[in-house]
Amino acid sequence: MIDLSNALPKPNILPMIMKESNRPLKSDTRYLLKIKEELEILLAREKELSRLKGRMVSIASHEFRTPLSSIQLSASTIEHYFDRLDRTRIFQHLKKIIMAVQQMTAILDDLLSLEKIESGKVSLRMKCFDLTSVSRDVLEEMQAMTKKGQQLFHRHHGLDTEVYLDQDLLRRCLTNLISNAIKYSPEGGIVELVTCITEQFMEVQVKDQGIGIPEKEQSRLFETFFRADNAKDIQGTGLGLNIVKRYVELMNGSVSFSSRENEGTVFMLRFPRLSGDLDQPIK
């Protein structure tokens, strides 16, 4: 068979290619720019996550040393001097061990919570539950962390006690705020948990008589890893309040505070129940 392909005239295909490629060029350019922007955002997010994880490891290794040392010392004392310690002294050392374990658990909870939030892995599980029952449970759990003479109180306003929120996230918020109130308050101080439910809103307040927050640093209070100057000698990760704020906002609520240095702090969580005026704070 004779091949006639070389005998046929060859069309100039370059103008055809240019004409065809020019049609979607603008839309393709916009598409590529959009992809480029998205990739840059993803890359920046990955860098931020990497930075956060590095900071988390550093914090964990630093913050675990004190409670681990306390556990080791108390356990060693009980082991070597058990026959010479009275019941009261043994229970004192056991309480130190429990407190140290709670400190490490709180640190781990903060680190894991932040990682879940940053990775978008937090899912809401909204349901109805009794707010006063949860409040009492949290205070009972926190009792082991109290300093000498510290007292924890709960007051509730309103006839209704049922709310519709994510119970686990609310418990984490309350645990964090009450733990801070205990930690930053002196021996013999009072920490008060106040809850209020009306037709329009549900509000929680945690009040303490602690060291307070310096006014010049209050604007940075909810930043990740932030520690106020007057709190840097007290153990903490600087993550708790940032996590509380983000959990509260996930549940469509808001968080605010009022504080004066050396005069205590009040943190307020507010969640809407129905449409209406939400400007009535707890008295």
Side-chain angles (χ1 to χ4, degrees):
M1 182 178 292
I2 300 173
D3 184 7
L4 298 177
S5 61
N6 289 327
L8 294 173
K10 293 183 173 62
N12 187 355
I13 63 171
L14 184 59
M16 295 173 61
I17 294 174
M18 292 296 293
K19 183 178 179 182
E20 191 67 25
S21 63
N22 279 337
R23 272 192 299 184
L25 187 58
K26 290 182 180 179
S27 60
D28 283 353
T29 301
R30 286 195 295 268
Y31 178 68
L32 290 172
L33 285 173
K34 184 179 179 182
I35 290 178
K36 179 174 178 289
E37 289 174 1
E38 290 176 353
L39 287 173
E40 287 175 348
I41 292 171
L42 287 173
L43 182 60
R45 187 173 179 81
E46 279 299 313
K47 287 181 178 178
E48 178 63 14
L49 282 173
S50 178
R51 184 189 72 82
L52 285 174
K53 287 177 180 178
R55 189 75 184 271
M56 287 178 189
V57 171
S58 175
I59 284 176
S61 62
H62 179 267
E63 293 295 329
F64 277 178
R65 286 175 188 158
T66 300
L68 282 172
S69 297
S70 178
I71 291 171
Q72 185 177 26
L73 180 60
S74 290
S76 178
T77 301
I78 293 172
E79 179 185 11
H80 291 97
Y81 302 102
F82 182 80
D83 56 341
R84 285 180 265 174
L85 294 174
D86 59 28
R87 185 183 179 88
T88 302
R89 292 290 302 277
I90 290 173
F91 274 100
Q92 285 175 349
H93 284 291
L94 288 175
K95 184 175 180 179
K96 288 180 181 179
I97 291 173
I98 292 170
M99 289 180 64
V101 171
Q102 287 178 329
Q103 287 174 4
M104 291 193 296
T105 301
I107 294 167
L108 278 176
D109 284 345
D110 283 351
L111 296 176
L112 292 173
S113 295
L114 182 63
E115 194 277 331
K116 283 184 178 180
I117 291 170
E118 293 294 341
S119 302
K121 297 177 182 177
V122 179
S123 56
L124 286 176
R125 295 180 176 86
M126 304 289 279
K127 65 178 182 179
C128 290
F129 60 91
D130 189 277
L131 178 62
T132 57
S133 177
V134 169
S135 299
R136 286 193 296 266
D137 288 347
V138 171
L139 288 182
E140 187 175 340
E141 292 169 6
M142 294 286 99
Q143 192 66 48
M145 293 184 64
T146 56
K147 300 173 186 174
K148 184 178 179 181
Q150 281 185 338
Q151 299 179 70
L152 307 182
F153 291 108
H154 173 242
R155 285 190 293 121
H156 180 73
H157 299 279
L159 297 177
D160 195 3
T161 62
E162 193 172 79
V163 294
Y164 182 73
L165 291 169
D166 187 307
Q167 183 175 335
D168 181 59
L169 294 190
L170 183 64
R171 284 183 71 101
R172 289 173 182 268
C173 292
L174 295 181
T175 298
N176 199 298
L177 293 176
I178 294 168
S179 173
N180 280 351
I182 292 170
K183 184 164 54 175
Y184 297 119
S185 294
E187 293 183 355
I190 293 174
V191 174
E192 190 173 19
L193 172 61
V194 184
T195 52
C196 177
I197 298 177
T198 70
E199 290 184 355
Q200 289 81 32
F201 66 87
M202 186 279 279
E203 187 171 281
V204 175
Q205 291 188 4
V206 177
K207 304 179 179 182
D208 67 51
Q209 300 172 333
I211 61 176
I213 305 154
E215 186 175 354
K216 64 179 182 180
E217 298 181 299
Q218 291 185 6
S219 61
R220 300 186 57 201
L221 191 62
F222 295 104
E223 291 180 11
T224 309
F225 301 115
F226 174 75
R227 304 290 311 285
D229 285 340
N230 63 342
K232 289 183 177 176
D233 292 332
I234 302 172
Q235 189 175 23
T237 63
L239 296 175
L241 292 178
N242 177 269
I243 292 168
V244 167
K245 185 175 187 293
R246 293 165 83 167
Y247 278 165
V248 169
E249 289 174 350
L250 277 174
M251 293 184 284
N252 198 33
S254 62
V255 56
S256 59
F257 69 95
S258 60
S259 181
R260 296 186 67 178
E261 198 167 3
N262 300 317
E263 294 184 18
T265 302
V266 180
F267 279 96
M268 295 153 281
L269 312 183
R270 174 173 285 189
F271 303 91
R273 297 188 76 203
L274 299 171
S275 60
D277 183 11
L278 305 184
D279 296 328
Q280 301 288 332
I282 295 175
K283 300 297 183 183

